[in-house]
Amino acid sequence: MEKIIIFDTTLRDGEQAPGASMNSFQKMEVATQLEKLGVDIIEAGFPIASPDDFVAVSAIAKNIKRSAVCALARCIYKDIERAGESVKKAKRPRIHLFLATSKIHLKYKFKKAEDEIVSIARDSIRQARKFCSDIEFSPEDATRTEKDFLFRMVEMAISEGAATINIPDTVGYSYPQEVFSLITDIRNNVPNIDKAVIAIHCHNDLGLATANSLSAILAGARQVHCTINGIGERAGNASLEEIVMAMKTRKDVFGDFYTDIDTKEIYRTSRLVSKLTDFVVPPNKAIVGRNAFAHESGIHQDAVLKKRITYEIMDPRDVGISESSLVLGKHSGRHAFRQRLKNLGFHLDEQRLNKAFQRFKEVADRKKEIFDDDLRIIVEDEIRVVKPLWQLLSFEVSSGTQVKPEAKVMLKKRAKTLCGVSSGDGPVDACFKAIDKITNLKVKLEDFRLEAVTSGKDALGHASLKLKNKGITAAGRGSSTDIIEAAIRAYVDALNKLETR
Ligand code: KIV
Ligand code: ZN
């Protein structure tokens, strides 16, 4: 099997993502975790860019022992000197030099001819080799570079001693077949190519960074540049977790290759990078997004409960996530609902389960995700009252700063539908008075409380209260995403208890 070298550039290209900057202590923390993850090379920064970057690269070079530590430099002497200085204490130092080679960059950025570019690169590689024996060279914008000129640059860089040639798709313009052909052409047209490792560096402007990197591997690249969570310039870089897990999962395609990544550390690394950069991982991000191993559809949940592989191609434990989750929401089915209740310790008979499921669906229509605490309340509501005398059918309220609160409540008593209308000091008071008109009971309200059970603006509100009638007190509870409905449910619950005493 052939090893694919993982070159992590989270701390350099990743940190170039607008707003992702980290201080030197935070970078050290990430580097330590990257080493634990098993990356072969940590590109720790661009030392000429700022004094803090120089400090961070130097500290990482001094402390990291297993991974090689790399510093980036333009083909400019002061960059090379600074990069060399920053990695000099590393056990395995590397300098990564880059110089653009595409016609667009030569014409508009440098205003230089091809021969001049070749000579600048040659001098820079020679200078860099005085600081460090391990040199990686990148012809920037390689995928938009004239092929003959690219071959010439690569051949020169290898003959000057660059041990790794990186092919950057700097602007994320390529597509997988094109990358495959380019790497194949480099292998077939650069005479000394067998003296260097070919690396690939893809950006994600068209969402193809991972696909392009994998294609490069299939064509002969043996080192891949990537970042945690795919962070990087503009739309980001190829994401480490996607490349590594694609290779691990698709053994039928990538069975000849392996990486030294400890995949169980992936999730922890992703969380750390997200926390330190303040870059939220999108919920649907492959491998590490909150929803990557979550199922909501009833059909999927049912099948996953029967056999996980029906809808999961990876085991979440392989990336350090303890288990997949069945998110209860409006698409969920009875199977997942029953399973979750079982996990929470509720064992309902079929009739109660059906009632609780019906109520769960009503709540799920109004609330995006149903948490365990929501479920407890829903189920407790259902198992407490077996045959209620009073049942809430519907209610309407009008209220506001300029209008007197009014309420219309419809209750069911056995087979009869009854309606009460009242005004009140507030919408809840108006509802309670409307109910009193229906029941004709002179109840006294005591100890009314309202609280949110879970967080978020669609949280389930939970109301609890006590009603007193002829010296007897009964407590009632109710819940809903609508706090007025929660209050009414609690009131009706207490009334039912009064009636059964
Ligand atoms: O995208 C790019 O071309 C780079 C180079 C520095 C390799 O990040
Ligand atoms: Zn880049």
Side-chain angles (χ1 to χ4, degrees):
M1 290 232 293
E2 279 192 75
K3 173 165 161 158
I4 299 300
I5 302 163
I6 300 295
F7 179 106
D8 182 280
T9 181
T10 306
L11 295 174
R12 198 279 296 170
D13 216 332
E15 208 227 4
Q16 276 173 229
S21 63
M22 289 172 266
N23 63 35
S24 51
F25 298 105
Q26 293 171 322
K27 285 188 177 177
M28 190 67 234
E29 208 178 329
V30 172
T32 309
Q33 179 58 31
L34 288 173
E35 188 177 44
K36 207 162 162 205
L37 178 66
V39 309
D40 300 287
I41 302 147
I42 297 173
E43 187 166 48
F46 188 15
I48 197 73
S50 76
D52 203 50
D53 233 28
F54 176 81
V55 170
V57 180
S58 310
I60 292 167
K62 202 168 146 203
N63 289 293
I64 294 295
K65 298 289 174 232
R66 261 178 294 138
S67 313
V69 178
C70 176
L72 181 72
R74 289 171 297 182
C75 284
I76 297 176
Y77 187 71
K78 63 178 185 347
D79 278 40
I80 297 168
E81 199 182 20
R82 201 85 170 129
E85 181 67 20
S86 70
V87 292
K88 73 170 186 227
K89 296 232 167 83
K91 197 153 176 234
R92 288 168 53 211
R94 177 179 288 194
I95 294 178
H96 175 195
L97 288 174
F98 73 101
L99 185 64
T101 48
S102 65
K103 271 213 160 78
I104 302 173
H105 281 243
L106 262 58
K107 183 169 173 200
Y108 297 108
K109 198 166 93 176
F110 297 139
K111 297 189 176 47
K112 286 195 195 311
E114 289 183 350
D115 286 349
E116 273 179 283
I117 293 294
V118 175
S119 128
I120 292 169
R122 178 182 290 117
D123 291 348
S124 299
I125 297 170
R126 286 181 186 170
Q127 286 159 1
R129 280 190 38 97
K130 295 201 175 115
F131 292 95
C132 179
S133 60
D134 185 2
I135 304 296
E136 173 161 344
F137 178 76
S138 289
E140 191 193 4
D141 207 14
T143 54
R144 291 194 302 171
T145 299
E146 304 280 298
K147 281 200 181 167
D148 285 341
F149 183 52
L150 183 64
F151 301 152
R152 186 177 157 203
M153 281 296 280
V154 171
E155 185 181 352
M156 177 282 297
I158 297 171
S159 65
E160 290 301 329
T164 305
I165 297 295
N166 178 41
I167 303 300
D169 184 25
T170 303
V171 288
Y173 183 72
S174 277
Y175 64 94
Q177 287 87 339
E178 215 171 18
V179 172
F180 189 95
S181 305
L182 180 60
I183 301 294
T184 308
D185 289 347
I186 291 172
R187 292 181 71 197
N188 291 336
N189 290 283
V190 175
N192 54 0
I193 195 68
D194 55 323
K195 304 215 163 42
V197 171
I198 302 177
I200 184 77
H201 176 109
C202 295
H203 279 271
N204 206 27
D205 300 66
L206 293 174
L208 292 170
T210 299
N212 284 338
S213 305
L214 293 171
S215 195
I217 291 171
L218 292 175
R222 292 294 171 262
Q223 178 182 296
V224 61
H225 283 213
C226 45
T227 62
I228 301 296
N229 300 336
I231 63 169
E233 276 281 352
R234 305 180 309 279
N237 288 63
S239 112
L240 179 147
E241 59 277 13
E242 291 173 16
I243 292 169
V244 170
M245 288 313 289
M247 287 173 60
K248 187 177 166 83
T249 307
R250 293 302 307 271
K251 288 256 162 55
D252 54 331
V253 183
F254 296 97
D256 294 339
F257 310 111
Y258 71 95
T259 70
D260 278 342
I261 294 296
D262 176 0
T263 60
K264 291 199 167 58
E265 290 294 328
I266 283 179
Y267 191 62
R268 192 197 309 274
T269 317
S270 160
R271 300 308 312 153
L272 180 71
V273 170
S274 167
K275 187 181 90 184
L276 296 182
T277 54
D278 270 339
F279 261 43
V280 177
V281 176
N284 60 334
K285 167 78 181 66
I287 320 292
V288 290
R290 173 160 46 86
N291 291 350
F293 295 95
H295 309 268
E296 199 203 285
S297 128
I299 298 166
H300 291 210
Q301 291 181 338
D302 177 60
V304 166
L305 285 167
K306 287 173 179 151
K307 191 83 183 161
R308 195 183 55 77
I309 55 164
T310 48
Y311 284 100
E312 267 182 14
I313 57 166
M314 290 168 273
D315 187 332
R317 286 168 300 189
D318 280 349
V319 298
I321 296 173
S322 55
E323 55 182 359
S324 44
S325 58
L326 301 185
V327 177
L328 290 183
K330 72 173 189 179
H331 303 108
S332 302
R334 199 178 299 265
H335 192 165
F337 180 70
R338 185 202 304 266
Q339 184 64 39
R340 183 71 72 84
L341 292 191
K342 225 166 123 190
N343 295 347
L344 292 174
F346 293 108
H347 300 274
L348 305 189
D349 57 34
E350 226 23 54
Q351 198 188 356
R352 284 184 187 176
L353 182 87
N354 286 345
K355 278 186 69 193
F357 185 64
Q358 203 181 328
R359 175 104 174 85
F360 154 75
K361 282 283 187 178
E362 282 163 24
V363 175
D365 259 339
R366 289 188 256 167
K367 191 174 189 302
K368 280 195 173 138
E369 193 177 333
I370 310 288
F371 300 106
D372 286 352
D373 279 346
D374 297 325
L375 274 184
R376 281 193 191 95
I377 298 284
I378 291 170
V379 174
E380 281 164 11
D381 273 0
E382 289 313 321
I383 55 182
R384 266 179 304 114
V385 182
V386 184
K387 269 198 181 145
L389 182 69
W390 299 102
Q391 268 179 283
L392 170 67
L393 289 180
S394 64
F395 74 96
E396 281 168 35
V397 285
S398 60
S399 169
T401 45
Q402 308 297 331
V403 284
K404 189 166 171 57
E406 300 232 3
K408 178 177 164 191
V409 180
M410 308 277 276
L411 294 186
K412 191 170 157 192
K413 186 181 185 187
R414 298 200 180 94
K416 260 206 221 150
T417 299
L418 301 150
C419 177
V421 178
S422 177
S423 56
D425 292 337
V428 172
D429 182 51
C431 289
F432 290 175
K433 286 190 169 127
I435 295 173
D436 290 346
K437 283 191 180 166
I438 300 173
T439 62
N440 264 327
L441 294 173
K442 299 244 167 313
V443 292
K444 191 167 168 239
L445 174 68
E446 293 180 343
D447 198 23
F448 174 53
R449 279 169 219 224
L450 206 47
E451 61 190 345
V453 180
T454 43
S455 56
K457 52 181 195 310
D458 62 354
L460 207 58
H462 182 55
S464 54
L465 50 76
K466 281 187 186 144
L467 291 184
K468 200 166 179 182
N469 184 33
K470 297 181 189 155
I472 301 171
T473 304
R477 289 187 284 168
S479 52
S480 168
T481 48
D482 180 326
I483 51 171
I484 298 173
E485 184 182 329
I488 299 174
R489 284 185 180 278
Y491 202 84
V492 172
D493 181 40
L495 283 175
N496 281 319
K497 285 181 185 158
L498 282 175
E499 298 274 359
T500 51
R501 297 245 158 118

